[in-house]
């Protein structure tokens, strides 16, 4: 009896491997190899445009340089502000919208599909459209503010203290619908029994939201946090299209700085080192999220 | 339970890694990308010519690809290429690209030696970089061989800076731009002013003409972070008789003189539209064309567009003058524009050279001008017919004669200087840094990055 089941298990396993092979090869070539290559190249001084393609070994010099690089420190700070701003507001707003549009009426469905449109647009286009909306001399937004007697100085993207909130607003406009959809899916899959029990026990709507809905939505919250944090750290296209990291360095996020080092200066080694630092920050945050949320569940 | 949690965590982290890679490894991608262009580039040589070659069409059937910046002159390319194809039997495919895309696509093509593009428009400031890395073919041998057909004496001396580096020619002059002052005739004469001759007058007039209540301003400037503000600041450095490099060619950004110039440049922004610290070239153009400002310094190639009612609401109200320099500074005028180079990896260099020769010939140059091209030849600028159509050509001729093609250092590390200035000058304009601090930081950043 035993040998037989072992053999069939082996057969099944082999089968799995065979079926997985194309995907594994693909992932190895597209993801694993570049990852290791970027770790490898970060230890070298390597200018992409060098005609001789010389690579000089530097050890961890690039990582030490990064810690002392003023622009990198500013960029990391800006990135954290961007991530905190977008993730918190999108989470709250997305949850609110999901609760608002959880109904199943005809209008609800129509409205929901309208709300999803921003998500379907390429970020670069969204950035360019918002840039022209924000333009203080020709744009629509400052024009209406002016009608109400509010002048916007150098404009939302031109003032140091307003540039980051303005960029965050673009991200919120575009990505809150995604958060809403995730929460909608979470809400739809909630069991009915606890609510009925709560009603019998005399809980009001707020109490059942706070004590039933929210705890049960924890997996959805985790997904939203992970997804939006990752994407927030990766933000590039909106910044590229609107401010190029300006004014000054007010919206220079880490990924934009990596782009400058890699694709303007072509210093591949340093760019790879910075990209790896970004990766480490995000991975550390992700683990933290998971630990905190999982622990609460138990 | 614990083990399950561990597995979930592992799964999420691995998804996270894969997801992040797309962003993190973007800089490395050109090296890992397969050389995508090899097949198409090899095609033309293998392909038999469609028709038997007539003796006068030695390159009939050859296919060239031209990468062009989407500047005004792209209209002229579109008009002239069919003529060239008819005359020579060479087929030219035009690929229009924006400034940043062009630079990056060309770099990828050069670094991977794919030879996708046979011909490319090359910004004057790329000269040093292209020469150092030998991206384009030095044209000197071809020029020496065909010197009888080229009439090179007729090309304005300053136009050679569009591609000359270290005594060799890495691109041939294509389109020369001079920095000129555009001004509103109606506005200035109403205020009883002549166009400013000096920077001091420019300041004074800009101040006088600014009326924020009427949403009208003295001058439009480039203030946006990046190449825009860096290049406009360098124009002012030149106009005050200073420079970015010292006499020995070393980077000397934070000199006391340059700090003074930065303050003067910053002062002008009081008389510019409030959004000017965020202006890129197109917004500056919009400000001038929509009649929001009285004066604007800019490239001469845009001049003809102000008379086009489809894109301009100031038709007939604009004139140009030589760009004002500071008092006591010997007049020199910023010169820029584009050269046209041949890819060092091109398999059709001879046919590509044929295109350059044809395009730069005096007869074709007239057509080139009439379809939004820009001049490189003295004979074009002095041509009576063209002077009739473009009455501002004498000013251009003088600006070209005293042109300075090196006010933006054309050294291989130009992009580093531009990026550093692009950040710190903008930071000064919006009040994030002081003038001295801004230039000190730019200097330090350039020195650090050049290592």
């Amino acid at each position: 009896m035993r040998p037989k089941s072992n053999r069939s298990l082996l057969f099944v396993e082999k089968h799995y491997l065979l079926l997985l092979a194309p995907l594994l090869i693909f992932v190895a070539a597209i993801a694993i190899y570049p990852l290791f290559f970027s770790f490898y190249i970060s230890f070298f001084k390597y200018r992409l445009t060098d005609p001789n393609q010389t690579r000089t070994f530097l050890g961890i010099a690039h990582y030490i340089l990064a810690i002392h690089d003023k622009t990198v420190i500013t960029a990391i700070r800006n990135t954290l502000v961007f991530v905190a701003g977008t993730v918190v507001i999108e989470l709250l707003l997305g949850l609110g919208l999901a609760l608002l549009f959880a109904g199943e009426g005809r209008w609800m469905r129509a409205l929901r599909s309208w709300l999803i449109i921003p998500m379907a647009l390429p970020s670069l286009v969204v950035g360019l459209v918002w840039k022209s909306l924000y333009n203080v001399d020709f744009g629509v937004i400052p024009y209406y503010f002016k009608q109400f007697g509010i002048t916007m100085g150098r404009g939302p993207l031109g003032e140091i203290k307003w540039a980051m909130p303005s960029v965050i607003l673009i991200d919120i406009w575009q990505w809150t619908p995604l958060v809403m959809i995730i929460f909608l899916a979470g809400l739809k899959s909630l069991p009915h029994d606890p609510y009925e029990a709560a009603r019998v026990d005399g809980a009001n709507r707020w109490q059942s939201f706070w004590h039933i809905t929210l705890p049960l939505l924890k997996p959805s919250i985790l997904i939203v946090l992970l997804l939006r944090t990752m994407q927030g750290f990766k933000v590039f296209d909106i910044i590229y299209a609107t401010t190029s990291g300006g004014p000054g360095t007010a919206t220079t996020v880490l990924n934009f700085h990596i782009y400058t080092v890699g694709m303007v200066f072509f210093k591949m080694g340093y760019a790879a080192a910075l990209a790896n630092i970004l990766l480490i920050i995000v991975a550390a945050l992700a683990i933290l999220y998971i630990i905190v949320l999982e622990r609460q569940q138990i | 339970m614990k083990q399950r949690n561990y597995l979930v965590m592992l799964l999420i982290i691995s998804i996270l890694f894969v997801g992040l890679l797309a962003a993190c490894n973007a800089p490395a991608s050109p090296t890992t990308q397969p050389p995508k262009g090899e097949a198409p580039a090899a095609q033309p040589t293998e392909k038999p010519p469609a028709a038997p070659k007539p003796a006068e069409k030695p390159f009939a059937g050859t296919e060239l690809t031209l990468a062009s910046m989407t500047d005004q002159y792209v209209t002229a390319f579109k008009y002239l290429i069919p003529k060239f194809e008819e005359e020579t039997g060479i087929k030219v495919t035009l690929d229009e690209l924006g400034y940043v895309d062009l630079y990056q696509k060309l770099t990828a093509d050069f670094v991977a030696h794919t030879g996708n593009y046979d011909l490319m428009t090359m910004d004057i400031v790329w000269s040093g970089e292209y020469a150092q890395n030998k991206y384009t073919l030095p044209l000197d041998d071809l020029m020496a061989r065909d010197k009888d057909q080229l009439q090179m004496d007729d090309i304005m001396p300053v136009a050679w800076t569009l591609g000359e580096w270290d005594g060799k020619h890495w691109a041939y002059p294509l389109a020369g731009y001079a920095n000129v002052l555009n001004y509103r005739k109606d506005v200035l004469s109403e205020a009883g002013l002549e166009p400013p001759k000096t920077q001091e007058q420019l300041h004074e007039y800009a101040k006088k003409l600014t009326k924020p209540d009427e949403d009208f301003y003295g001058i439009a400037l480039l203030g946006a972070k990046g190449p825009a503000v860096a290049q406009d600041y360098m124009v002012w450095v030149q106009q005050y008789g200073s420079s970015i490099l010292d006499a020995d060619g070393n980077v000397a950004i934070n000199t006391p003189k340059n700090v003074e110039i930065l303050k003067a440049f910053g002062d002008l922004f009081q008389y510019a539209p409030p959004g000017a610290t965020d202006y890129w070239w197109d917004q500056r153009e919009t400000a001038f064309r929509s009649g929001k400002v009285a004066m604007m310094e800019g490239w001469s190639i845009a001049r003809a567009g102000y008379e086009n009612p489809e894109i301009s609401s100031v038709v007939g109200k604009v004139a140009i003058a030589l760009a004002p320099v500071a008092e006591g500074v010997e007049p020199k005028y910023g010169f820029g524009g584009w050269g046209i180079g041949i890819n060092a990896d091109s398999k059709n260099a001879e046919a590509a050279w044929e295109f350059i020769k044809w395009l730069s010939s005096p007869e074709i140059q007239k057509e080139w001008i009439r379809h939004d091209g820009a001049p490189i030849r003295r004979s074009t600028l002095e041509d009576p017919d063209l002077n009739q159509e473009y009455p501002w050509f004498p000013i251009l001729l003088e600006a070209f004669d005293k042109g300075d093609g090196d006010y933006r250092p054309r050294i291989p590390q130009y992009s580093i200087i531009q990026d550093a200035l692009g950040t710190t000058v903008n930071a000064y304009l919006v009040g994030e840094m002081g003038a001295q601090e801004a230039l000190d930081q730019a200097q330090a950043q350039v020195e650090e990055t050049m290592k």
Side-chain angles (χ1 to χ4, degrees), chain B residues 166-208:
Chain B
D166 226 3
K168 282 190 174 173
H169 295 87
W170 303 89
Y172 205 77
L174 174 75
Y177 304 170
N179 182 53
V180 293
L181 176 75
N182 298 283
Y183 64 94
R184 290 276 301 277
K185 286 185 286 192
D186 53 336
V187 175
L188 262 73
S189 69
E190 200 178 301
L193 301 171
E194 289 288 305
K197 292 265 187 307
T198 63
Q199 278 296 321
E200 288 75 6
Q201 282 177 346
L202 183 82
H203 273 250
E204 192 193 324
Y205 296 177
K207 188 178 180 182
K208 206 177 271 181

Side-chain angles (χ1 to χ4, degrees), chain B residues 88-419:
Chain B
T88 60
I90 299 172
K91 179 154 172 24
V92 181
T93 310
L94 179 68
D95 200 354
E96 300 169 47
L97 297 159
Y99 190 84
V100 177
D101 281 343
L102 176 68
Y103 180 69
Q104 282 171 4
K105 267 201 161 179
L106 288 179
T107 306
D109 196 17
F110 294 139
V111 171
H113 296 287
T114 36
N116 268 344
Y117 296 111
D118 301 293
L119 287 159
M120 61 276 309
T121 60
M122 181 182 110
D123 192 355
I124 183 171
V125 291
W126 302 345
S127 309
E129 189 193 342
Y130 277 34
Q132 187 197 43
N133 298 327
K134 301 191 168 50
Y135 285 158
T136 48
L137 204 66
L139 301 172
D140 302 78
D141 293 344
L142 292 166
M143 283 160 63
R145 189 191 70 192
D146 296 340
K147 63 176 182 295
D148 300 337
Q149 306 164 34
L150 288 169
Q151 305 179 46
M152 287 189 284
D153 299 342
D154 182 37
I155 291 178
M156 301 295 294
V158 70
W160 291 110
T161 53
L162 302 164
E164 185 273 340
W165 184 257
D166 226 3
K168 282 190 174 173
H169 295 87
W170 303 89
Y172 205 77
L174 174 75
Y177 304 170
N179 182 53
V180 293
L181 176 75
N182 298 283
Y183 64 94
R184 290 276 301 277
K185 286 185 286 192
D186 53 336
V187 175
L188 262 73
S189 69
E190 200 178 301
L193 301 171
E194 289 288 305
K197 292 265 187 307
T198 63
Q199 278 296 321
E200 288 75 6
Q201 282 177 346
L202 183 82
H203 273 250
E204 192 193 324
Y205 296 177
K207 188 178 180 182
K208 206 177 271 181
L209 296 169
T210 299
K211 292 172 188 116
D213 307 340
E214 296 166 30
D215 204 18
F216 191 83
Y217 300 90
I219 189 163
L221 298 159
L222 299 175
K225 189 196 172 184
V229 73
Q231 298 207 12
D232 224 20
Y233 171 63
M234 286 191 260
V235 168
W236 258 264
V237 168
Q238 188 270 330
Q239 288 174 152
Y240 276 88
S242 186
S243 64
I244 300 296
L245 303 181
D246 67 13
D248 303 325
N250 299 317
V251 177
I253 294 175
N254 55 346
T255 59
K257 175 113 202 199
N258 286 351
V259 174
E260 285 309 306
I261 297 167
L262 179 55
K263 286 179 185 160
F265 181 61
D267 276 348
L268 269 180
F269 276 81
Q270 300 169 48
Y271 318 123
T277 51
D278 205 19
Y279 274 9
W280 198 254
W281 282 270
D282 48 351
Q283 282 104 4
R284 183 179 68 169
E285 281 294 319
T286 309
F288 190 71
R289 286 178 183 171
S290 62
K292 224 178 169 57
V293 292
M295 297 181 285
M296 180 188 82
E297 287 195 21
W299 291 127
S300 49
I301 191 167
R303 175 64 187 91
Y306 305 139
E307 304 304 330
N308 178 357
E310 277 175 32
I311 54 168
S312 162
S313 52
V314 290
V315 175
K317 295 176 184 167
V318 179
I320 70 171
L322 290 166
V325 294
E327 264 168 31
V329 172
E330 190 204 343
K332 280 216 161 193
Y333 306 106
F335 178 84
W338 293 79
I340 180 165
I342 301 174
N343 193 336
D345 300 315
S346 169
K347 298 182 178 68
N348 306 307
E350 280 291 342
W353 175 241
E354 214 43 48
F355 180 73
I356 294 177
K357 276 202 295 189
W358 181 83
L359 188 68
S360 64
S361 65
E363 313 82 67
I364 301 301
Q365 279 292 303
K366 284 172 96 171
E367 294 299 305
W368 170 252
I369 297 294
R370 288 197 171 110
H371 292 87
D372 293 344
I376 51 166
R377 288 183 176 277
R378 186 177 293 277
S379 62
T380 319
L381 283 162
E382 287 176 347
D383 185 89
D385 295 340
L386 289 175
N387 268 280
Q388 203 94 57
E389 292 162 53
Y390 306 99
W392 54 86
F393 265 26
I395 291 170
L396 269 195
L397 183 64
E398 193 179 344
F400 274 42
D401 261 330
K402 293 177 189 160
D404 177 3
D406 286 297
Y407 78 94
R408 291 173 294 172
R410 300 184 295 137
I411 58 174
Q413 297 85 1
Y414 173 74
S415 60
I416 294 171
I417 296 178
Q418 178 169 277
D419 185 79

Side-chain angles (χ1 to χ4, degrees), chain A:
Chain A
M1 190 185 106
R2 273 167 192 245
K4 199 185 165 195
S5 84
N6 261 357
R7 231 166 68 197
S8 79
L9 193 72
L10 203 70
F11 175 74
V12 168
E13 262 181 16
K14 262 188 187 164
H15 222 70
Y16 272 138
L17 274 180
L18 199 68
L19 288 170
L20 279 173
L23 186 71
L24 287 176
I25 292 167
F26 182 75
V27 170
I30 299 295
I32 314 281
Y33 168 73
L35 181 68
F36 280 101
F37 183 76
S38 92
F39 272 109
Y40 167 77
I41 204 72
S42 69
F43 299 123
F44 290 84
K45 180 180 174 172
Y46 170 37
R47 184 167 60 87
L48 183 66
T49 51
D50 180 1
N52 305 319
Q53 297 284 300
T54 42
R55 293 176 188 177
T56 323
F57 185 73
L58 287 181
I60 57 164
H62 278 145
Y63 293 92
I64 294 168
L65 181 67
I67 299 169
H68 296 101
D69 190 334
K70 256 170 78 183
T71 322
V72 172
I73 306 297
T74 316
I76 290 177
R77 208 179 50 219
N78 288 339
T79 312
L80 291 174
V81 171
F82 181 86
V83 170
T86 53
V87 171
V88 169
I89 299 175
E90 280 168 24
L91 188 77
L92 296 177
L93 214 58
L95 184 58
L97 283 174
L99 292 168
L100 197 64
F101 290 110
E104 273 306 324
R106 219 170 68 194
W107 286 107
M108 283 298 176
R109 279 187 212 171
L111 271 170
R112 271 200 317 243
S113 47
W114 279 103
L115 276 174
I116 291 166
I117 290 177
M119 216 171 77
L121 300 170
S123 298
L124 205 63
V125 175
V126 169
L128 288 171
V129 170
W130 275 89
K131 185 187 165 92
S132 57
L133 289 176
Y134 274 147
N135 186 304
V136 74
D137 295 316
F138 321 108
V140 174
I141 295 171
Y143 173 82
Y144 282 110
F145 271 89
K146 221 181 267 177
Q147 300 300 305
F148 291 108
I150 303 164
T151 52
M152 305 190 92
R154 299 190 179 96
L157 295 174
E159 294 283 353
I160 290 180
K161 58 180 189 295
W162 287 111
M164 186 53 97
S166 308
V167 174
I168 288 176
L169 180 65
I170 302 175
D171 194 81
I172 291 169
W173 178 82
Q174 187 173 20
W175 291 112
T176 302
L178 176 75
V179 177
M180 180 189 82
I181 289 176
I182 295 171
F183 280 130
L184 271 175
L187 286 173
K188 297 278 165 202
S189 61
L190 293 185
H192 289 288
D193 315 359
Y195 291 97
E196 279 162 20
R199 210 181 307 149
V200 171
D201 288 348
N204 61 23
R205 289 183 73 174
W206 173 251
Q207 280 169 327
S208 60
F209 170 75
W210 190 253
H211 295 290
I212 301 170
T213 312
L214 219 49
L216 286 176
L217 271 181
K218 224 168 241 170
S220 304
I221 294 173
L222 181 62
I223 291 173
V224 166
L225 281 176
L226 275 177
L227 215 60
R228 292 310 305 150
T229 306
M230 269 164 56
Q231 289 184 328
F233 272 99
K234 287 195 315 190
V235 69
F236 170 75
D237 24 25
I238 291 179
I239 303 285
Y240 178 79
T242 52
T243 62
S244 309
T249 49
T251 59
T252 303
V253 291
L254 192 51
N255 217 3
F256 188 83
H257 185 58
I258 294 170
Y259 160 82
T260 312
V261 173
M263 297 312 289
V264 180
F265 304 152
F266 295 109
K267 297 176 95 176
M268 287 302 148
Y270 192 31
L274 292 175
N276 291 331
I277 290 174
L278 178 64
L279 186 68
I280 291 163
I281 296 175
V282 180
L285 261 178
I287 292 169
L288 197 73
Y289 278 157
I290 295 167
I291 289 174
V292 168
L293 281 162
E294 290 281 296
R295 194 164 282 170
Q296 280 186 355
Q297 214 168 34
I298 296 166

